[in-house]
Amino acid sequence: KECYGCTACKCICPTEAITMKSDNEGFLYPVVDENFCIACNLCIDVCPMKNEVDIKDHFEIPEVYAVKHTSDLVRLLSSSGGAYTAISDFIIKDKKGICYGATFDEEFNVRHKEAITTSERNKFRGSKYVQSKLGNVFYHIKQNLVNGKLILFTGTPCQNAGLVKYLKLSKIDTSNLILNDIVCHGVASPKIWKDYVVFIEEKNKSKIKNYTFRFKEKGWRGYNVKVEFENNTIKLNTKDVLKYVKLFNFNLILRPSCYNCKFSNLNRPSDLTIGDFWGIEKSMPGFEDTKGVSLVLVNTRRGKDIFERIKSNLIYRQSNISDCMQLNLYQPTPKPENREKFWKDYGEKGFK
């Protein structure tokens, strides 16, 4: 239950003895086929839970910025201030590199995929409160680094940490890799998410066409869930569509390891950290508006170089640690006392 599900052990295994399989809560865990295991211990050595993650040129204290993209449209289509678009535009447009991020697939599962165009990258924008399936993304990143491609990987801190450990043990040059993590509240169950999708599609008698967790018609704060269905029905913050984010907000459906996450602090396993700049209305009341403000932590020299190169597409103010501090930058999300009771009830009664 300490496992993050980062897939590093699966990817490093030289005999492909490890597969990722869902438990009864829908979270993926590594399972070893003893018939193929050669006891090389690479799976143990690569684990970011069991081993320290060293990031080159890591700052002792990150530089802190409040950020707004110069394009209002970009900000409206982003969860907060559009920092991710500025970072990924530099990789794709300026450097002809490759971005990896989380997106919905055709069945509205959340998966990490590759993008080499801005239209593909745009699907990575916006929050997705579900643990993404990484599949063989780490392996593809390794191959692209070997081929000299510039790579931006965006994911949770544990996914970034797993990628770093995997590439280091694989003896891959990571000078062309930019690591970008998010201020993570915890990753939610893909099983509950899938059951919820079935629930609202049955209730609305139509398949989902588009889903937005943070629609900004009413501003950037809180959950404003907008769902567009194929029968042209559009719902915003109705009781049925809000069911999932309420479960997420109650912290009942997070992966067990999230309650003990070793990355819920300022020692980030990444070059850059992005998130919502909560509290901006107190520290910079003149800078906030309804379209959102991103928090950007610059954690390394490489991150600082990237930030310097994207400044022309940003409106930004330098801040400090005390003004940007939020729960998951100093501790993991607390485990609810009734979590086991919830999952017992869920197993017996189902989503409805």
Side-chain angles (χ1 to χ4, degrees):
K1 291 299 181 180
E2 294 179 343
C3 170
Y4 297 127
C6 74
T7 75
C9 58
K10 177 185 82 77
C11 293
I12 200 73
C13 181
T15 62
E16 299 183 3
I18 299 176
T19 54
M20 303 297 292
K21 295 186 178 180
S22 295
D23 70 348
N24 64 333
E25 295 183 0
F27 295 108
L28 294 174
Y29 289 88
V31 177
V32 181
D33 185 336
E34 299 291 349
N35 294 316
F36 294 99
C37 178
I38 57 173
C40 65
N41 283 331
L42 283 174
C43 56
I44 303 299
D45 296 339
V46 80
C47 178
M49 168 54 78
K50 292 181 175 292
N51 302 279
E52 291 302 310
V53 180
D54 297 320
I55 303 296
K56 188 178 179 181
D57 296 328
H58 203 282
F59 297 153
E60 186 174 345
I61 300 174
E63 294 182 4
V64 182
Y65 293 93
V67 165
K68 296 188 290 192
H69 200 283
T70 53
S71 166
D72 285 348
L73 178 60
V74 166
R75 291 170 65 205
L76 284 170
L77 296 172
S78 306
S79 290
S80 46
Y84 173 71
T85 298
I87 297 165
S88 53
D89 271 349
F90 171 73
I91 303 301
I92 287 180
K93 289 183 177 180
D94 296 358
K95 295 297 182 179
K96 310 302 180 188
I98 303 172
C99 292
Y100 289 86
T103 182
F104 291 122
D105 67 13
E106 296 78 9
E107 299 299 320
F108 281 89
N109 302 299
V110 179
R111 300 181 183 276
H112 259 72
K113 290 190 177 182
E114 174 185 300
I116 58 174
T117 67
T118 54
S119 60
E120 292 171 336
R121 181 281 319 272
N122 289 346
K123 296 176 183 178
F124 301 162
R125 292 195 296 211
S127 300
K128 299 165 187 75
Y129 301 114
V130 190
Q131 182 160 36
S132 67
K133 294 182 179 181
L134 284 163
N136 293 316
V137 159
F138 285 6
Y139 175 78
H140 293 305
I141 290 174
K142 181 179 79 170
Q143 294 304 114
N144 279 315
L145 287 172
V146 169
N147 292 330
K149 297 290 186 180
L150 182 66
I151 304 292
L152 171 67
F153 177 82
T154 301
T156 61
C158 58
Q159 290 173 337
N160 275 264
L163 177 60
V164 169
K165 295 298 293 182
Y166 166 68
L167 294 172
K168 185 172 183 179
L169 258 68
S170 300
K171 296 181 170 55
I172 300 300
D173 181 4
T174 57
S175 56
N176 277 342
L177 175 67
I178 295 98
L179 297 162
N180 181 39
D181 73 14
I182 58 173
V183 181
C184 181
H185 180 78
V187 292
S189 165
K191 172 181 171 60
I192 298 247
W193 166 255
K194 198 62 182 173
D195 290 349
Y196 160 80
V197 168
V198 171
F199 168 75
I200 59 171
E201 287 185 338
E202 287 181 353
K203 184 174 178 60
N204 293 280
K205 297 180 174 58
S206 179
K207 292 285 188 181
I208 297 172
K209 183 168 65 175
N210 289 302
Y211 194 99
T212 308
F213 279 103
R214 302 275 296 278
F215 185 62
K216 287 186 175 177
E217 186 179 86
K218 296 184 178 182
W220 73 295
R221 296 184 174 278
Y223 305 111
N224 289 299
V225 181
K226 180 182 179 182
V227 186
E228 300 174 59
F229 295 91
E230 290 181 357
N231 64 2
N232 295 322
T233 301
I234 297 176
K235 287 198 167 183
L236 176 64
N237 290 348
T238 55
K239 286 185 178 181
D240 56 338
V241 303
L242 286 176
K243 295 292 184 189
Y244 181 82
V245 292
K246 285 189 176 183
L247 285 172
F248 178 75
N249 203 37
F250 292 152
N251 303 329
L252 290 165
I253 61 174
L254 303 185
R255 190 180 181 99
S257 57
C258 293
Y259 306 114
N260 299 294
C261 177
K262 66 189 279 188
F263 302 110
S264 294
N265 49 56
L266 292 173
N267 187 27
R268 315 299 291 188
S270 59
D271 299 300
L272 296 161
T273 298
I274 58 175
D276 300 288
F277 202 126
W278 301 129
I280 191 72
E281 73 282 0
K282 298 175 183 176
S283 60
M284 299 181 194
F287 194 65
E288 189 207 13
D289 59 35
T290 59
K291 297 183 185 71
V293 181
S294 291
L295 168 66
V296 176
L297 303 181
V298 178
N299 304 315
T300 66
R301 292 180 185 175
R302 182 179 299 169
K304 185 173 178 63
D305 178 62
I306 297 296
F307 190 77
E308 291 295 324
R309 291 168 181 264
I310 65 173
K311 278 182 175 180
S312 60
N313 293 318
L314 302 174
I315 304 165
Y316 63 94
R317 302 285 186 274
Q318 188 154 12
S319 184
N320 57 72
I321 294 300
S322 60
D323 285 346
C324 80
M325 191 52 64
Q326 47 192 275
L327 176 72
N328 296 116
L329 288 178
Y330 64 86
Q331 71 174 56
T333 298
K335 181 181 177 180
E337 292 181 3
N338 59 340
R339 187 185 188 279
E340 278 69 28
K341 176 72 163 61
F342 167 82
W343 279 101
K344 182 176 182 295
D345 289 348
Y346 194 87
E348 294 173 357
K349 301 177 183 180
F351 191 90
K352 289 181 183 179

